[in-house]
Amino acid sequence: GLYQALSAGVPSGNAIEFLAASSKAAVAGATDVETAVDGLTTVINAYGMKASDVGKVSDAMFQAVKLGKTTFAELSHSIGQVAGIASKTGVGMEDLLGTLAHVTTQGIDTGTAVMGLRQAIVSVLSPSKDMGKVLGELGTTGEELFAEKGIVGAFDAIAKTTDGTATGLQLLIPNIRALPAVLAITGRNAENASRSVDMLNNAAGAS
């Protein structure tokens, strides 16, 4: 775990403190310290946070585990595939983890949920002709939409421009991995998904 922390850029002066927090996360998440360090440093680096923010990140990840059908280990191993692009888009850590937790409650495994959200975000940032028209109708760009409404709000707004069916939404988000994730957070699922995000915003002390 110490090797992982130092390799990920944790300053040597903060390494033992970081390792202590990671150990708590490992116990809470029923995983090993190395895995906990891997997940925590991935999120910290993706969001440009400080090593001293490890407690905040640990609480957020553990809250996501509690709310979703996932484990700390599964989250640690897969979160890196979406955290980078989410942070660059302006999607906050709590927003991402809360949305991801909800998607896993819909019977979608963690790895698939992560890739689904990644591809869904990409479909808005690099829009097809049809998605571009929708963004034009909404009077926004993909980045602005995520910044204003968050992941759930953004995709629910997009979904409301369709006829409300999966087929209608598939015309805008044709990616086979992205569509199930989007369906899990829009329409009748949007309220519960938003509630999960709200609970992530109050995750202090969770781990």
Side-chain angles (χ1 to χ4, degrees):
L2 179 60
Y3 178 82
Q4 282 283 93
L6 294 172
S7 297
V10 174
S12 58
N14 299 108
I16 299 303
E17 179 185 354
F18 191 95
L19 210 57
S22 300
S23 297
K24 292 178 182 179
V27 173
T31 188
D32 58 87
V33 177
E34 182 182 2
T35 298
V37 169
D38 183 33
L40 294 169
T41 53
T42 294
V43 175
I44 286 172
N45 289 339
Y47 280 93
M49 302 169 79
K50 298 178 180 178
S52 57
D53 292 320
V54 62
K56 178 181 179 180
V57 178
S58 173
D59 285 341
M61 290 182 66
F62 188 66
Q63 185 82 315
V65 171
K66 288 202 300 182
L67 294 174
K69 291 176 64 177
T70 184
T71 67
F72 207 100
E74 289 173 332
L75 203 55
S76 292
H77 290 316
S78 60
I79 192 66
Q81 298 178 67
V82 68
I85 190 171
S87 67
K88 289 178 175 61
T89 308
V91 171
M93 173 186 68
E94 294 85 356
D95 186 7
L96 174 62
L97 290 172
T99 303
L100 179 59
H102 179 77
V103 172
T104 64
T105 67
Q106 305 300 299
I108 302 174
D109 68 81
T110 306
T112 302
V114 164
M115 286 306 300
L117 285 178
R118 174 186 170 82
Q119 293 304 116
I121 292 171
V122 169
S123 73
V124 178
L125 298 181
S126 300
S128 64
K129 184 176 181 180
D130 289 334
M131 178 65 82
K133 287 182 179 179
V134 167
L135 292 175
E137 291 173 9
L138 295 173
T140 187
T141 65
E143 290 89 343
E144 291 170 348
L145 189 61
F146 286 125
E148 178 187 355
K149 296 180 177 293
I151 299 177
V152 176
F155 283 110
D156 199 42
I158 290 170
K160 287 176 179 176
T161 67
T162 71
D163 59 7
T165 65
T167 301
L169 194 56
Q170 189 174 23
L171 294 174
L172 301 177
I173 306 173
N175 185 278
I176 194 170
R177 291 185 176 181
L179 184 61
V182 174
L183 290 173
I185 60 174
T186 55
R188 64 182 182 181
N189 293 318
E191 184 176 351
N192 286 335
S194 295
R195 189 175 298 117
S196 291
V197 174
D198 290 339
M199 293 180 73
L200 255 294
N201 287 319
N202 295 285
S207 56

